[in-house]
Amino acid sequence: MKKLLAVVLTVVLTAVSALAAPLAVRADGAPATGAEAFVLYCVENQSIVLSKDENKRMRPASTTKLMTTLLTLEEAAKNDRVVTFTRDMIAEGSSMYLEVGEKVRLSDLATGMMMCSGNDAANAAATAIAGSTEKFSVYMNNRAKQLGMENTHFVTPSGLDDDDHYTTAYDLALLMQAGLRNEAFANLTYQKSASVRFAEPSDKTVTYNNHNRLLRLYNDCIGGKTGYTTAAGRCLVSAARRNGVTLICVTLNDKTDWDDHIALCDYGFERLRGYHSADSEFCLTIPCVGGEQDTVAVIGEKDVTLVTENSGADEIRRTVFLDAFVYAPVREGEALGRIEYTRGEKSLCSVALVAAEDVAEQRDGRNIFQKIKEFFTYG
């Protein structure tokens, strides 16, 4: 169905309901936690919902493996080569129990890190990719810088304690956000268990269970990573999604982390509202002056999902900006207008309206002024 040009459409989009409430609350109504530092982060808004000392530099323990897993999966996407486990890859602590001489693929090492937090898997992947764990830390820190993790410095691929190995709750939220954008990472972190078929011995297959209990305790959980050392305490990164709202929760040095993550996520889902508009289905035809065809199809570049505070005005304003006609030539994908979303005086986002096709300029000897005159002449 064609839509009117250059119009302002005001709509109240379907709101996402959130029914759960936190179990324990502070005086201000926010959940009480046992964390030394934490952050509740909204992916869609790229903003902090609730936090405490979110930029405090702390030991991350095995939540470090979020970075190692992401880099490993990116490398595996280019070349999922077979890695031979060697003596120098052996590590203390949690393990996927690789034996010297056994062979698995890079993607299998990512599985070992994400499921059972294998320090041996982290060392093996780092050495296979960079030549040594020390050289791999350069890769880790370069990616951290790219992601805006300003208070992070990695030393070990596994997260074993080192005085120069630190990050923050906020930085880990940024890292988890990057992981969720990687399809292989997002699929892996969501699995309650995963199997690894060894390249050598070829008849060996092991199923590893995910240490992230939230995948079983909390229906909205879509992934995350656990971590623990005596010095770091219990560390946990989780992601949850409910009706278009995606939250990342990070707690550091928290003895009650499972309960705290559930309470914090429920708090966020109760206070945020999600809205979806299928702007990719926006399609209309407008006149094209001086073209080899008289019209050009215009489509929305993408769908939009908005997340906004539950309090305040309930109305989101959707405004379509599009000229009544365009001049040839027009190139497919060329921006011809936009849809803007606002709430009150606040701009929420903008979606481009683009040409769905090429329209070449008509070459018949008439100048543009003649073509415009003819365009507006009827009868």
Side-chain angles (χ1 to χ4, degrees):
M1 182 179 67
K2 294 185 178 181
K3 302 182 181 179
L4 296 176
L5 305 180
V7 295
V8 175
L9 302 177
T10 302
V11 294
V12 178
L13 303 176
T14 303
V16 170
S17 62
L19 302 177
L23 299 176
V25 296
R26 305 182 318 205
D28 60 2
T33 77
E36 183 176 344
F38 78 87
V39 68
L40 182 65
Y41 179 87
C42 177
V43 172
E44 287 77 18
N45 286 349
Q46 297 187 23
S47 63
I48 294 174
V49 180
L50 194 67
S51 66
K52 170 189 171 184
D53 291 332
E54 70 276 12
N55 292 316
K56 182 178 181 179
R57 294 179 177 181
M58 298 178 63
R59 299 175 188 268
S62 284
T63 60
T64 299
K65 295 188 182 80
L66 291 170
M67 176 64 83
T68 309
T69 300
L70 177 59
L71 294 177
T72 300
L73 289 172
E74 289 175 345
E75 182 66 23
K78 295 180 288 186
N79 180 13
D80 194 12
R81 57 189 178 274
V82 173
V83 178
T84 301
F85 191 74
T86 58
R87 193 167 300 278
D88 61 325
M89 297 173 179
I90 296 174
E92 61 177 301
S94 55
S95 176
M96 68 179 292
Y97 301 105
L98 295 170
E99 299 289 342
V100 173
E102 291 185 332
K103 299 179 181 181
V104 294
R105 295 191 176 275
L106 277 176
S107 57
D108 297 326
L109 295 173
T111 297
M113 284 183 273
M114 187 61 70
M115 292 297 112
C116 58
S117 200
N119 292 340
D120 51 354
N123 281 358
T127 302
I129 293 171
S132 69
T133 58
E134 292 79 15
K135 291 179 180 177
F136 187 76
S137 68
V138 176
Y139 293 19
M140 300 173 75
N141 290 318
N142 285 342
R143 178 56 60 85
K145 185 176 181 180
Q146 292 172 7
L147 296 177
M149 299 170 67
E150 297 179 353
N151 291 293
T152 293
H153 185 262
F154 292 121
V155 175
T156 67
S158 62
L160 289 176
D161 293 319
D162 187 287
D163 288 343
D164 289 327
H165 188 95
Y166 55 82
T167 187
T168 69
Y170 178 71
D171 283 1
L172 285 172
L174 297 181
L175 176 55
M176 186 65 188
Q177 176 178 246
L180 292 176
R181 290 171 177 162
N182 180 291
E183 183 177 359
F185 182 104
N187 288 337
L188 179 59
T189 194
Y190 181 65
Q191 302 304 313
K192 295 182 178 69
S193 65
S195 297
V196 169
R197 182 175 181 179
F198 283 59
E200 182 65 39
S202 59
D203 60 347
K204 182 176 180 179
T205 300
V206 179
T207 298
Y208 299 96
N209 293 321
N210 198 323
H211 286 185
N212 181 11
R213 290 175 55 197
L214 283 178
L215 290 168
R216 298 170 178 84
L217 293 172
Y218 194 56
N219 289 336
D220 299 310
C221 183
I222 59 171
K225 184 71 189 73
T226 59
Y228 174 81
T229 66
T230 302
R234 293 177 61 88
C235 302
L236 181 61
V237 178
S238 71
R241 184 174 293 133
R242 185 184 294 173
N243 296 328
V245 180
T246 307
L247 297 175
I248 294 172
C249 185
V250 182
T251 52
L252 298 177
N253 191 18
D254 183 5
K255 295 179 180 179
T256 56
D257 49 7
W258 305 120
D259 291 338
D260 289 346
H261 277 240
I262 292 171
L264 284 165
C265 286
D266 280 347
Y267 173 86
F269 288 134
E270 185 179 70
R271 282 154 180 77
L272 296 175
R273 303 177 71 179
Y275 306 86
H276 181 76
S277 183
D279 287 344
S280 64
E281 298 177 8
F282 182 100
C283 183
L284 54 85
T285 301
I286 62 174
C288 183
V289 178
E292 290 186 348
Q293 61 189 56
D294 294 332
T295 61
V296 60
V298 180
I299 59 175
E301 192 172 40
K302 61 180 180 180
D303 290 348
V304 63
T305 298
L306 303 174
V307 173
T308 187
E309 297 81 5
N310 200 17
S311 59
D314 290 329
E315 191 174 82
I316 289 179
R317 191 174 181 85
R318 181 177 185 264
T319 308
V320 178
F321 294 92
L322 189 63
D323 291 333
F325 63 91
V326 294
Y327 298 109
V330 177
R331 297 287 177 261
E332 181 180 354
E334 179 181 344
L336 302 178
R338 68 189 188 279
I339 302 173
E340 288 192 357
Y341 291 86
T342 56
R343 188 177 187 180
E345 299 299 320
K346 183 179 180 180
S347 175
L348 300 176
C349 76
S350 178
V351 176
L353 297 174
V354 301
E357 57 191 332
D358 289 337
V359 178
E361 186 176 7
Q362 188 179 50
R363 300 187 180 280
D364 59 2
R366 293 175 298 158
N367 62 40
I368 190 63
F369 299 105
Q370 291 172 315
K371 295 174 183 178
I372 294 173
K373 180 179 179 181
E374 291 173 6
F375 177 77
F376 287 105
T377 301
Y378 302 90

